[in-house]
Amino acid sequence: MHRVHLGELRNSWSAWAGVSVTFVTVNAALALIVLMASTGFVSGDAGVAIYAGTQLVTTGFLILLVSLPVLASATSLVVNARRGALARLALVGATPSQVRSTLVSQLVAVSLASALVGDLLAFALARPWMALDAWAARNEGLALPTEPGPHWGPVLAVNVLCAGVAVLAGARQASCASSIPPIEALRQAMAPMRDARLTAGGWVALVVIGLGVTGAIGAVVVISAQGSVSVVGHLIMAATTLVFVLTAGLAVAAPVVVAPLTRAWTALVPSRAPAWVLARSTVSARADRLYKSVIPVMFALAIGIGVTAVLDSSLASMVASGGGFAELSTPAIADLAALFGLPLAIAFSSGIGSLVMMGRQRDAELALLGIVGGTPAQRSWIPVWEAVIITVNAALLSLIVTVPSLIYTWFAITAAGATFVLVVQPWLVALLVGGGIVGTALTTVLPTLPAQRLPEPRVVARLVGE
């Protein structure tokens, strides 16, 4: 059976290569914070050790909130792209458990290979990242180490953890793959797979997230009752964490949220241009691909827009309140801002990897359009409009995250006795959304250009052969 596993891994390398950037980034992010924390633990300074432990727990929690949904989406996209090959395995006699083990072995192999690259990246970034962290911590009177130690043990443990996270994120997809009937191999491998319902695990996750939000609201009352200015830093931390928690909740609910949201706002667009109509029809037919492509872009925009709005409003509120609030604001928010680079990098890399990986399917769709008479201009514009639809969906979902987070920030700051000042920078929102459209369009359009120069039947046959 190991020969089958190796053969499937070789045949699926092009699909896994697209999403491996996500695995690399997750491994690098976790290895980096573990390397920094382990260096702080052995520094001999109790304050530094406590700071390192707090940063490890907080940043690790935020990274996992982002990593689990995007890894699940990336893995699911690969499984969908490989449905024909997996069904042919069942056709030649492979049992469901053998099909499932084939996919799990690919997940472990890709994760461990990505771990090596991620470790090298983490060690390369450790020194400048620790220098930046040490600079921010000087405001709190801490002298953090700037030279990472050779702590391979914790880093290797993180690699194993990442492999476990990858298998956990792909467990449901592996089960779905093992249940594909053999007759599926005789059908069109590109047939849409609708996934418009929440699983039992999804409902459990939403309940847990709901309890977490409820606890965060209750924590405001408990913490603010202490009557200390220092509690504001904890409340701001809770508000920024809420952005991640709400985004994770929307990622879980994406199968039942993204499709109706897309139909609602695209129906308001009056254009009847063939490229726009075809793009809108394509994303509706590929609803499973749509929401899985939206999730990482949503995380990137929600972190960029939501966290920035919360931190800007918190800083302005502390300055407006004066006294001890103003003295607290700058170092506290500077430390918080340093935590969000790694989760944002994971979301950004996952968005790129997922869109690039789906290039083969788009190649076949555009080739079929060319066979039935689509013009070259229409075939070029369709992926552009698909990128616009993905980004607008992500922007609307990030708005759903940002508004409750700002309301929570208002509630927390006023409960602590400070004056709330709302700060939202429209230019930054426009820049992030515009950059999201451009970046998504590039990663959607560029991979399809080489195939548009090939004969259409050859492009379709190549995908079916995979």
Side-chain angles (χ1 to χ4, degrees), residues 29 54 71 79 88 291 351 356 370 455 461:
T54 302
L71 284 177
V79 172
R88 285 191 288 273
Y291 83 79
V356 170

Side-chain angles (χ1 to χ4, degrees), residues 181-424:
I183 196 64
E184 178 72 11
L186 305 178
R187 300 176 57 195
Q188 184 183 9
M190 291 287 294
M193 286 183 65
R194 298 300 182 103
D195 191 2
R197 64 184 181 85
L198 289 178
T199 62
W203 283 111
V204 171
L206 286 179
V207 170
V208 172
I209 290 171
L211 292 174
V213 173
T214 303
I217 295 173
V220 172
V221 179
V222 175
I223 294 176
S224 60
Q226 298 176 13
S228 173
V229 172
S230 62
V231 304
V232 177
H234 299 292
L235 295 176
I236 296 173
M237 172 66 78
T240 51
T241 304
L242 186 63
V243 174
F244 288 83
V245 173
L246 291 177
T247 308
L250 279 179
V252 173
V256 295
V257 170
V258 172
L261 177 66
T262 304
R263 288 193 297 267
W265 76 262
T266 55
L268 302 177
V269 179
S271 175
R272 292 295 179 265
W276 166 256
V277 174
L278 287 170
R280 187 175 61 187
S281 301
T282 299
V283 297
S284 297
R286 303 290 181 188
D288 57 322
R289 186 176 76 189
L290 173 63
Y291 83 79
K292 292 164 188 172
S293 300
V294 166
I295 286 174
V297 183
M298 174 187 67
F299 267 105
L301 291 182
I303 295 172
I305 296 173
V307 170
T308 301
V310 168
L311 293 181
D312 284 346
S313 298
S314 299
L315 177 60
S317 300
M318 298 304 96
V319 172
S321 301
F325 292 109
E327 295 175 2
L328 173 71
S329 60
T330 303
I333 294 180
D335 289 339
L336 287 175
L339 300 176
F340 306 125
L342 295 176
L344 182 60
I346 292 172
F348 181 76
S349 65
S350 177
I352 293 176
S354 297
L355 292 170
V356 170
M357 192 277 295
M358 296 306 297
R360 290 295 182 90
Q361 285 193 5
R362 290 189 180 90
D363 288 346
E365 293 165 1
L366 297 176
L368 290 173
L369 176 62
I371 290 174
V372 299
T375 66
Q378 290 173 344
R379 294 168 62 185
S380 298
W381 273 103
I382 286 174
V384 173
W385 288 124
E386 184 176 348
V388 171
I389 292 172
I390 290 172
T391 309
V392 172
N393 277 326
L396 293 174
L397 292 172
S398 68
L399 182 64
I400 296 175
V401 169
T402 301
V403 172
S405 299
L406 286 173
I407 294 174
Y408 178 86
T409 306
W410 162 80
F411 175 55
I413 288 179
T414 54
T419 301
F420 178 74
V421 177
L422 175 64
V423 178
V424 177

Side-chain angles (χ1 to χ4, degrees), residues 91-113:
L91 187 65
V92 298
T95 65
S97 62
Q98 289 173 330
V99 173
R100 187 163 52 250
S101 65
T102 298
L103 182 58
V104 170
S105 66
Q106 293 176 24
L107 278 167
V108 174
V110 171
S111 182
L112 293 179

Side-chain angles (χ1 to χ4, degrees), residues 25 29 33 58-67 70 129 244 296 299-300 303 337-350:
T25 310
I33 63 168
T58 304
T59 311
F61 174 69
L62 297 181
I63 288 174
L64 289 178
L65 275 180
V66 177
S67 299
V70 299
W129 196 277
F244 288 83
F299 267 105
I303 295 172
L339 300 176
F340 306 125
L342 295 176
L344 182 60
I346 292 172
F348 181 76
S349 65
S350 177

